[in-house]
């Protein structure tokens, strides 16, 4: 097929790639693992468009080696894998996929919260290992969710969707954010607090900040030491937002009481990571936005962004609109 040359870094769910293939000279990396670095660099050299995933690093080296690139579309809401400043300096549009995954991701954050609070994964292991002998009034006792305090770090779209769920569960809601969010305060009774209060008061602390230089290790040894012994940390943002070594240490010492993580550093987590040896930790393989419907929508959105950038138009969801001013 004639048209602009684009490279797509993985097969995507749904029918989005059929549309892209019909409009471009598409080269598709079909293997289940991400393209190795040398392949990505070589493909980027002559591509006008790149459709990437959060596993693909679009950094200065790649951008400086690219001859005709003008549209980069990341199939994720997060874009910490992309050097946006260098893209902007080179006039390359960058798109992402916000909005469509908000509720799906919030559902999963809540699934982790509930699974951790009520020890669902430990219970499943207990049964499969043949330990279930009788109804036991003291067996696998967990924490109540209703009436508990949920602390939400980052009250963007996903944080707000988590707050709405928490409100439905009768929780007290605290949050930190750069700006006040009066609408969510009014809708859910949420209260904006300082970081120390967020940590001290949490029965559940859930992270919804993007990964930036400022939020790297936003939760470290100091922060973990401020949490209640029985509290649970939930992370569906990015692994490096938490200092993972400090978390393992803190969990071993019993404060906080558990963690439920959809993201780790690195991804995949090393099989000898101390977190994997702890019974009070749940780890999922970065699947929070992974419903069939949402992933197909994300793929469609990523294709729409890519095509707009190739036409020289501002992508519908653009993280560097200044390219078009
Ligand atoms: C997934 O982590 C995303 O950023 O969409």
């Amino acid at each position: 097929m004639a048209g602009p040359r684009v490279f797509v870094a993985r097969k995507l769910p749904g029918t989005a790639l059929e549309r892209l293939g019909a409009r471009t000279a598409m080269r598709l990396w079909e293997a289940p693992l991400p393209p190795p670095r040398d392949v990505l660099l070589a493909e980027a050299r002559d591509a006008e468009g790149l459709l990437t995933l959060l596993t693909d690093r679009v950094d200065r080296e790649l951008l400086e080696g690219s001859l005709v690139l003008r549209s980069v579309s990341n199939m994720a809401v997060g874009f910490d894998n992309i050097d946006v400043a260098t893209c902007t300096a080179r006039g390359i549009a960058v798109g992402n996929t916000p909005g469509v995954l908000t509720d799906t991701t919030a559902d999963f954050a809540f699934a982790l919260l509930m699974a951790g609070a009520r020890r669902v994964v430990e219970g499943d292991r207990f049964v499969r290992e043949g330990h279930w002998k009788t109804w036991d009034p003291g067996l696998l006792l967990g924490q109540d969710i209703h009436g508990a305090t949920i602390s939400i770090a980052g009250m963007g779209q996903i944080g707000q969707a988590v707050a709405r769920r928490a409100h439905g569960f009768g929780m007290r809601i605290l949050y930190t954010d750069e700006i006040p969010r009066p609408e969510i305060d009014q809708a859910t009774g949420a209260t904006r607090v300082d970081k120390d209060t967020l940590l001290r008061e949490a029965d559940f602390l859930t992270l919804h900040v993007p990964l930036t230089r400022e939020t790297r290790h936003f939760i470290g040894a100091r922060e973990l030491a401020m949490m209640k012994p029985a509290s649970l940390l939930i992370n569906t943002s990015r692994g490096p937002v938490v200092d993972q070594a400090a978390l393992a240490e803190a969990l071993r010492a019993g404060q906080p009481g558990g963690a439920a993580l959809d993201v780790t550093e690195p991804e995949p987590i090393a099989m000898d990571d101390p977190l994997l040896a702890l019974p009070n930790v749940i780890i999922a393989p970065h699947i929070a936005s992974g419903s069939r419907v949402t992933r197909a929508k994300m793929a469609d959105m990523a294709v729409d962004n890519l095509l707009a950038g190739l036409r020289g138009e501002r992508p519908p969801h653009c993280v560097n609109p200044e390219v078009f001013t």
Side-chain angles (χ1 to χ4, degrees), residues 84 96 131 156 208 234 299 323:
V84 176
N96 71 335
H131 302 301
H208 301 287
I234 300 118
V323 166

Side-chain angles (χ1 to χ4, degrees), residues 3-74:
R5 176 165 161 155
V6 304
F7 178 65
V8 179
R10 216 85 62 80
K11 286 201 276 189
L12 306 182
T15 55
L17 288 187
E18 289 166 27
R19 256 182 337 112
L20 185 64
R23 289 168 177 75
T24 61
M26 179 176 84
R27 293 170 62 82
L28 174 63
W29 180 257
E30 300 208 28
L33 293 180
R37 181 75 181 159
D38 57 331
V39 172
L40 186 62
L41 292 180
E43 291 288 351
R45 193 172 175 278
D46 300 312
E48 291 167 70
L50 285 182
L51 200 158
T52 52
L53 309 182
L54 52 86
T55 42
D56 308 306
R57 199 155 36 84
V58 178
D59 57 7
R60 184 183 286 262
E61 181 194 18
L62 179 149
L63 293 165
E64 287 181 348
S66 68
L67 302 174
V68 286
L69 189 61
R70 58 180 193 277
S71 185
V72 172
S73 177
N74 208 38

Side-chain angles (χ1 to χ4, degrees), residues 8 11 21 23 68 108 139 148-149 157 166 208 220 256 317 324:
V8 179
K11 286 201 276 189
R23 289 168 177 75
V68 286
F108 196 77
L139 179 63
T149 296
Q157 290 190 53
H208 301 287
H317 297 277
F324 297 91

Side-chain angles (χ1 to χ4, degrees), residues 54 74-80 97 101 105 236-238 262-263 286 288-289 295 298:
L54 52 86
N74 208 38
M75 193 186 118
V77 64
F79 47 86
D80 47 279
T97 61
L101 49 64
T105 304
T236 53
S237 61
R238 285 291 182 269
D262 185 47
V263 288
H286 204 149
S289 67
R295 285 282 166 84
M298 288 168 69

Side-chain angles (χ1 to χ4, degrees), residues 259-307:
L261 312 173
D262 185 47
V263 288
T264 60
E265 184 183 23
E267 290 184 5
I269 192 169
M271 289 311 290
D272 61 356
D273 191 291
L275 285 180
L276 291 176
L278 299 174
N280 50 347
V281 175
I282 298 172
I283 303 189
H286 204 149
I287 54 172
S289 67
S291 75
R292 277 184 284 275
V293 168
T294 291
R295 285 282 166 84
K297 284 186 187 164
M298 288 168 69
D300 272 328
M301 206 170 196
V303 164
D304 290 342
N305 285 337
L306 186 70
L307 289 171

